[in-house]
Amino acid sequence: MSGPAFRPSHAVDFLIIGSGGAGGVMAKELSSAGFSVVVLEQGPWLKEKDFTHDEIKYSVRGGLMNDSDVQPSTFRENDGQPAKRLRAFEYGRQVGGGTVHFTANYWRFHETDFRECSLFGAIPGTGFADWPVTYADLEPWYTKAEYDLGISGQGGANPFEGPRSRPYPLPPMPVKSSGVLFERATRKLGLHPFPAPVAILSQPYAGRGACTHCGFCEIFGCEMRAKSSTLVSVIPVALKTGRCELRPGCYVRRIRTDSQGRVTGAVYFDSRRREIFQRAKAVVLCANGIESPRLLLQSKSKRFPEGLANSSGLVGKYLMWDNGAFASGLFEHPLNEFKSIQVTRVIHDYYRADPARGFYGGGGIDARFDFYPAGFALAGLPEDAPKWGDGYKRMLREYFTRTMSLLSHSTSLPREKNSITLDPEVKDAWGLPAARITFAQHPDDMAAMRWLLGKQREILEAAGAKKIWAAPVETFHPTRHLMGTCRMGNDPKTSVVNAFSKAHDVPNLFIVDGSNFVTSARQQPTATIQALAYRAADHLASLARLGDLGR
Ligand SMILES: Cc1cc2nc3c(=O)[nH]c(=O)nc-3n(C[C@H](O)[C@H](O)[C@H](O)COP(=O)(O)OP(=O)(O)OC[C@H]3O[C@@H](n4cnc5c(N)ncnc54)[C@H](O)[C@@H]3O)c2cc1C
Ligand code: SF4
C-alpha cells in the first residue's frame, strides 16, 4: 500500500524528500497530525522477502547502499588537490534509508554534548560551537522516539547518561560472548559497562516479532521486522492515515522556488526517468548529511545564486563523520560471535573530553564482531597472517569462531574546510554533478583515536586475549555517519537552519536530518537525528495549523 495518489499539480501540505531515519519520522508525524504528505524516495521499497542472507550481495557489494557506479563521488584532502573518484561515504538507499541495515546502536547524546564549546572553549581551526538546543529540550523527544520506534536497553545502567523521564520500552538484548568478556575486563579495570541500547526488539512490540538472532544484522535488512527501521515502524503508520503517499524510485534533482523566495515543490526523475514537478505548500528535506546539501547546491537560482538556503555560505560545510579505532583479539575458547546482533555491551567512561589528555576528544567503546565469513577471509585476520594455502585455511578455521573486536566511536571536529561541494567534472547516471568531498582530519581527532586504541588494547588484554591486532587509525574508510553540512543555530550568518530545522532563508523549507548537527558528540547519531525530527515535526505542525508556513 502506497497511500493516496496525489496529482503532481495538487499542492500537498508537505513534500518530504528522503524516507530514512528522519524522513520516516516526519512522514508519520505530519500525516498523523492531519496534513497531506508526499514522500519522494530515490531507492526501492523493499519487503521482508527481499532481505535474504546473501553476504556477497549485501556485505561485499553493499546491495542496500548507494551505488558508486551510478552515483559516484569524488574525494580530496584539501582544495589544492585534484579530487579523485572514490567511494567516500555510504548510506542506505531505499525506503527507510540507513535505518534498514544499520548496526542499530541507539545512544542518546550526553547533556554536555550540546554545550561543549562553553565547557572546553574554542578549538583553533574549527567551528566548534554550542547547539541552540539542550539535552533538556530534546529529552521528551528521545523518549518519544524510543517508544514509537521500539528500542531495547536498560535505563540508568549508563552512569554517564543524562536524566531520562521513562525507562526503555524493552529490556536489553541477551548478552553475547563478547559482551561477557568485555564486561568482566572493564569491571576489572574499574570501568562501567552497560547493556547497549539498540533499535532492535528484544521482545515482540507493536505488532512486530522479536529478534531471532539470525546473525545477518549490520549491512542486512531484517526479515523478522525486529530491527526498528522507519521502514517497519513509523512509515506503515503514516500510510495507514490515508494522507501520506510514498513514491519509491523518485530521485529529486531540484527544489523549486517562486519570485518571493518560497519553495513551491520539487522536480524529480521517476523510475522511468521522466521529469515530474510535484507541488507543495512546504518542503521537508531529509536526504541526509551528503545528499541534502548536494540538492540545495543543485537548486540554485537567480534569487539564490549560491544555492538554496545558502546566504551564510555554509551549506555543505562542517562535514563530520564516524571516527574511531578498531582492534581485535583472539581467545582460547570459541566465542561464536557470528550469532545474533553486533553489539551488546558498551562503556562511556572515556566519553567526556578531558583537557588533561592534551587534546580535545573522547569516545565510547563497544565489544562486537563485524564480520561475515567471506569478509573475515578478506580482512579479518591479523596483517601477518598467510594470505593463501593451508596455513591461511587453518587460521581462518581457528580465528573465525574465536575472535572478537572492540570499536571506539570518537569525536569528529567541525572544520569549515571539510565539506561537500558539486564536482565540476564528474556526473551521475542522470547527468547531475557528483558530490565532491573535501576532508582532512583535525590533529585532536587523530590524537583521540590513537589514545582510545590504547584503551581498547588494555581492555582486550584484561579480557584474556591471546593475540591482539589493530589497523592503524590513519586507515581511510568510507564514512557512514554523515553529520554537519546544514548546521543549526540562532544566527543566520553562522548557521543554515534554526533550532527547529527551519531554513533561515526560506520560510517554508525545513531541512531535517544528520546535516543539522553542530558537533558530532561521539557518533551513533541516529537517536539524536530522530529526536530532533520528532521535535521539528511538532513545531512544523503547529506553524502549519496557525497558517504560518510560507510567510
Ligand atoms: C552500515 C551502517 C551502519 C550504521 N550503524 C549505525 C549505528 O549503529 N548507529 C547509528 O546511530 N547510526 C548508524 N549508521 C548511520 C545511520 O544509518 C544514519 O545516521 C541514519 O540513517 C541517518 O538518517 P538520515 O535521516 O539523516 O538519513 P538517511 O537514513 O540516509 O535517509 C536519507 C534518505 O534520503 C534518500 N535520498 C537521498 N537523496 C535523495 C534524492 N535526491 N531524492 C530522493 N531521495 C533521496 C536516501 O535514499 C535515503 O533513503 C549506520 C550507517 C551504515 C551505512
Ligand atoms: S540479528 Fe535479529 S535484528 Fe538483526 S537481522 Fe537478524 S533477526 Fe533481525
Side-chain angles (χ1 to χ4, degrees):
M1 175 175 127
S2 60
F6 293 107
R7 284 189 323 276
S9 57
H10 171 83
V12 288
D13 293 323
F14 293 104
L15 178 63
I16 299 177
I17 303 171
S19 65
V25 167
M26 297 305 288
K28 183 223 153 194
E29 291 299 291
L30 293 173
S31 59
S32 301
F35 299 103
S36 57
V37 173
V38 166
V39 183
L40 299 176
E41 166 58 51
Q42 60 175 343
W45 189 355
L46 303 172
K47 306 284 161 17
E48 289 92 282
K49 67 174 172 40
D50 299 310
F51 297 134
T52 59
H53 294 177
D54 181 337
E55 187 189 347
I56 302 299
K57 180 173 176 187
Y58 294 114
S59 184
V60 178
R61 299 203 175 122
L64 295 177
M65 292 194 266
N66 52 313
D67 178 345
S68 56
D69 288 334
V70 203
Q71 284 170 309
S73 55
T74 59
F75 181 84
R76 58 187 185 173
E77 282 181 359
N78 59 62
D79 50 20
Q81 269 181 2
K84 289 195 188 131
R85 224 176 128 150
L86 187 72
R87 189 167 200 224
F89 55 85
E90 291 176 339
Y91 65 82
R93 191 184 185 279
Q94 59 261 317
V95 173
T99 64
V100 171
H101 66 275
F102 75 154
T103 322
N105 281 305
Y106 210 80
W107 306 350
R108 291 179 176 203
F109 282 7
H110 291 196
E111 276 183 300
T112 48
D113 286 328
F114 299 93
R115 50 188 177 90
E116 279 199 295
C117 186
S118 296
L119 288 171
F120 299 109
I123 299 177
T126 76
F128 203 42
D130 288 347
W131 291 55
V133 291
T134 63
Y135 177 83
D137 293 331
L138 269 195
E139 200 287 329
W141 306 107
Y142 275 125
T143 301
K144 181 160 171 66
E146 287 165 5
Y147 277 78
D148 229 24
L149 299 159
I151 308 298
S152 303
Q154 188 180 332
N158 175 4
F160 307 99
E161 196 185 54
R164 51 169 51 247
S165 50
R166 288 180 82 181
Y168 287 101
L170 291 155
M173 293 290 289
V175 67
K176 293 178 61 169
S177 314
S178 56
V180 173
L181 291 171
F182 182 77
E183 178 146 358
R184 276 191 211 147
T186 47
R187 285 210 192 286
K188 207 172 1 168
L189 295 169
L191 307 171
H192 301 83
F194 62 93
V198 286
I200 290 173
L201 303 183
S202 56
Q203 293 177 354
Y205 188 74
R208 295 190 280 126
C211 170
T212 54
H213 311 282
C214 76
F216 290 86
C217 203
E218 179 183 84
I219 312 278
F220 291 84
C222 178
E223 74 273 31
M224 302 304 298
R225 301 197 306 147
K227 197 182 283 190
S228 297
S229 64
T230 55
L231 171 71
V232 300
S233 57
V234 283
I235 290 174
V237 182
L239 298 178
K240 269 201 194 128
T241 63
R243 285 182 288 274
C244 176
E245 180 187 352
L246 172 60
R247 291 185 203 155
C250 294
Y251 180 31
V252 179
R253 56 157 299 186
R254 180 182 184 80
I255 299 170
R256 266 202 201 154
T257 45
D258 63 15
S259 56
Q260 312 298 309
R262 294 190 311 241
V263 297
T264 53
V267 183
Y268 65 93
F269 294 105
D270 72 3
S271 50
R272 287 156 62 193
R273 290 186 176 235
R274 290 176 307 191
E275 271 194 59
I276 297 173
F277 173 57
Q278 174 65 51
R279 287 191 173 282
K281 294 177 191 157
V283 169
V284 188
L285 177 56
C286 303
N288 77 39
I290 297 289
E291 296 295 357
S292 286
R294 177 171 172 237
L295 192 49
L296 292 169
L297 295 173
Q298 276 170 201
S299 302
K300 70 178 174 194
S301 60
K302 259 196 197 141
R303 194 181 169 109
F304 298 103
E306 301 306 322
L308 191 56
N310 196 19
S311 67
S312 62
L314 294 180
V315 166
K317 296 194 172 155
Y318 298 116
L319 172 65
M320 298 171 286
W321 64 31
D322 36 332
N323 282 333
F326 192 71
S328 299
L330 177 72
F331 288 80
E332 189 184 347
H333 299 291
L335 309 177
N336 295 329
E337 277 292 299
F338 52 83
K339 296 175 184 173
S340 194
I341 66 172
Q342 260 64 39
V343 179
T344 57
R345 286 293 181 277
V346 188
I347 53 163
H348 277 186
D349 294 75
Y350 306 122
Y351 190 105
R352 197 164 174 187
D354 177 357
R357 290 178 197 151
F359 56 85
Y360 160 79
I365 300 177
D366 68 38
R368 60 168 62 205
F369 189 61
D370 261 351
F371 297 104
Y372 302 99
F376 192 79
L378 288 171
L381 292 176
E383 255 308 289
D384 57 3
K387 303 287 182 271
W388 67 83
D390 283 350
Y392 171 62
K393 286 193 214 156
R394 246 194 326 275
M395 269 184 93
L396 280 182
R397 250 195 320 271
E398 184 193 351
Y399 277 58
F400 186 66
T401 50
R402 290 175 171 79
T403 297
M404 69 178 239
S405 307
L406 301 191
L407 181 61
S408 54
H409 308 268
S410 60
T411 26
S412 176
L413 277 159
R415 306 179 78 204
E416 193 173 340
K417 285 192 170 167
N418 288 347
S419 61
I420 170 244
T421 47
L422 301 181
D423 194 287
E425 282 155 28
V426 180
K427 306 265 185 272
D428 71 9
W430 291 259
L432 303 176
R436 178 176 62 183
I437 307 300
T438 307
F439 194 97
Q441 294 282 12
H442 190 278
D444 282 16
D445 290 336
M446 294 304 295
M449 283 190 268
R450 286 194 195 100
W451 184 83
L452 283 163
L453 184 56
K455 299 292 172 198
Q456 289 161 246
R457 284 180 176 281
E458 260 173 51
I459 297 169
L460 282 167
E461 260 168 44
K466 291 198 311 183
K467 180 179 171 91
I468 296 170
W469 65 101
V473 296
E474 289 76 13
T475 317
F476 177 83
H477 63 96
T479 180
R480 296 160 168 185
H481 297 182
L482 310 171
M483 297 168 286
T485 69
C486 294
R487 55 165 33 187
M488 49 166 58
N490 295 323
D491 182 352
K493 290 201 187 68
T494 56
S495 57
V496 177
V497 296
N498 72 12
F500 291 99
S501 304
K502 180 173 168 167
H504 289 303
D505 297 348
V506 187
N508 56 344
L509 172 66
F510 293 77
I511 306 162
V512 188
D513 55 28
S515 70
N516 292 168
F517 281 32
V518 181
T519 55
S520 62
R522 311 296 182 262
Q523 316 303 329
Q524 317 308 351
T526 310
T528 303
I529 291 172
Q530 294 187 311
L532 286 168
Y534 277 104
R535 183 169 176 271
D538 181 65
H539 181 72
L540 231 168
S542 330
L543 289 182
R545 274 190 215 104
L546 293 170
D548 264 0
L549 281 178
R551 286 206 199 136

